[in-house]
Amino acid sequence: MKLSFCTDSLGHLPFEQMLDKLLELGVYGVEMTTGGWSPAPHLRTEALLASATQRQQLLQALESRGMSIAALNVSGNPLDPGELGNKHKRDTENALALAGELGVKKIVMMSGLPPASSHDTTPNWITYTVSWPATLKNCLDYQWNEVAIPYWQGLVQRAKEGGVEKFALENFSSMLVWNPETLFRLRDAVGDMVGLNLDPSHLLWMGADPIAAARALGPAIHHCHGKDVRLERGLVDINGLLETKPVEDVANRAWNYVAVGCGQDLQWWKEFFSVVRMMGYNDWVSLEMEDLTMSVEAGVTSSIAALKQTISQ
């Protein structure tokens, strides 16, 4: 495995300064954000698509430092029924086109989340049993069969035509694909180009075991994020795992995203990566640092140190 970095976590630095900072820390891969919910601070997709010179300058900046692009990231909700969804669809199409121009074979994104019916205007994450009320089953069937599967069938075909080989869908909340079971539902319908971006942090706060999930996924692991979460003692025991407070309200939340090693200890991370590797994944692990309990620099530095000790190289 090789260590890479989700570039938004150093979005305050100009592109080449960001690369130099990662080089100092011994990181040689970048997961470049291209749009979706990200402002894409280091990469202007449309400008790069329009200019072969700019694309060459981008690649030269990486190659001169011995670095490479691990994946392009376009995480958003292309299944939103409004203008947001239209924007994220365009961002996704542009990311596919740019990947073709740059020779990048992997796209990291999210499955998207549709509304519950054709008359609805708001995406609806249905996480409760559909046996009662019975209308929820109809809503889920609509989301999957009428919206998500047709969209992904078309996207997979366009990706094949453009030279992209893998989609890695993050198991994120408020998405139709949020765990291995939902990943396999989509994968079975559209083909094995679609796999999971295995992010252990989300599975942990949902109450799952990422190590067991890795075993279940096997070759469906297409990418891996190094991201930790801490279930906050006392608070999670009282209020449970569901949390609606803003991520900035770290002192009062039942769980928080934290630097790697501040949630699960390093022995846990060693076992996690060992099992991921045992299941056949031997590619990039991208640090996604979203710890708001410390400075960005402290979180990045400590997380990279922890990942270097634990990934199966």
Side-chain angles (χ1 to χ4, degrees):
M1 294 181 183
K2 299 172 289 185
L3 186 56
S4 57
F5 187 86
C6 296
T7 53
D8 271 10
S9 298
L10 288 176
H12 62 287
L13 295 178
F15 175 59
E16 296 212 26
Q17 283 185 236
M18 180 269 296
L19 295 183
D20 289 337
K21 177 65 176 178
L22 293 178
L23 204 58
E24 290 175 12
L25 295 169
V27 177
Y28 293 91
V30 285
E31 183 180 320
M32 300 289 297
T33 52
T34 66
W37 281 307
S38 168
H42 301 113
L43 191 152
R44 295 291 174 260
T45 307
E46 292 184 355
L48 286 165
L49 285 172
S51 172
T53 299
Q54 288 192 33
R55 294 195 298 272
Q56 186 56 43
Q57 289 171 343
L58 170 73
L59 294 174
Q60 180 58 34
L62 290 162
E63 291 168 2
S64 65
R65 294 169 171 84
M67 302 176 75
S68 56
I69 298 175
L72 296 184
N73 186 311
V74 62
S75 294
N77 186 5
L79 304 184
D80 184 288
E83 180 50 40
L84 178 74
N86 290 332
K87 176 189 180 299
H88 289 181
K89 282 187 177 76
R90 292 192 299 271
D91 289 347
T92 301
E93 297 286 346
N94 285 338
L96 287 176
L98 184 60
E101 295 291 345
L102 297 176
V104 176
K105 302 302 182 183
K106 187 191 301 184
I107 300 290
V108 176
M109 57 183 294
M110 296 171 182
S111 66
L113 181 72
S117 77
S118 59
H119 308 294
D120 206 347
T121 59
T122 304
N124 193 320
W125 191 36
I126 299 170
T127 58
Y128 184 69
T129 175
V130 297
S131 59
W132 186 91
T135 52
L136 290 180
K137 181 181 185 304
N138 296 332
C139 294
L140 270 177
D141 287 344
Y142 167 79
Q143 290 180 311
W144 279 99
N145 300 329
E146 301 299 320
V147 183
I149 289 174
Y151 171 77
W152 274 97
Q153 285 173 332
L155 196 64
V156 163
Q157 184 57 41
R158 287 192 292 279
K160 288 178 179 177
E161 294 167 358
V164 170
E165 296 176 353
K166 291 183 177 181
F167 286 105
L169 306 188
E170 185 171 349
N171 48 280
F172 189 68
S173 57
S174 297
M175 288 289 124
L176 209 54
V177 169
W178 48 275
N179 63 8
E181 184 175 64
T182 51
L183 180 278
F184 282 121
R185 181 170 181 177
L186 185 62
R187 182 179 169 96
D188 290 344
V190 305
D192 60 9
M193 179 181 281
V194 172
L196 203 69
N197 167 27
L198 180 55
D199 186 322
S201 67
H202 306 307
L203 290 172
L204 286 163
W205 75 253
M206 292 179 194
D209 178 353
I211 296 172
R215 288 182 181 274
L217 287 162
I221 302 173
H222 281 188
H223 194 61
C224 193
H225 271 178
K227 184 178 176 183
D228 208 346
V229 76
R230 183 171 62 234
L231 307 184
E232 301 294 359
R233 299 183 188 187
L235 296 177
V236 72
D237 307 275
I238 296 168
N239 293 322
L241 295 169
L242 303 181
E243 179 58 87
T244 59
K245 298 182 189 70
V247 293
E248 296 83 4
D249 190 14
V250 291
N252 296 304
R253 285 174 54 86
W255 58 265
N256 287 295
Y257 297 124
V258 291
V260 178
C262 292
Q264 321 315 304
D265 63 25
L266 297 193
Q267 179 58 39
W268 184 93
W269 281 99
K270 287 178 181 179
E271 182 181 357
F272 171 71
F273 287 125
S274 176
V275 172
V276 169
R277 177 68 187 92
M278 187 169 64
M279 291 299 101
Y281 184 78
N282 191 28
D283 204 344
W284 297 101
V285 175
S286 288
L287 168 61
E288 187 179 22
M289 214 299 292
E290 296 181 356
D291 192 330
L292 299 181
T293 72
M294 61 179 73
S295 70
V296 172
E297 183 166 354
V300 168
T301 302
S302 61
S303 293
I304 288 174
L307 289 170
K308 282 184 174 180
Q309 294 179 68
T310 55
I311 64 173
S312 299
Q313 300 186 64

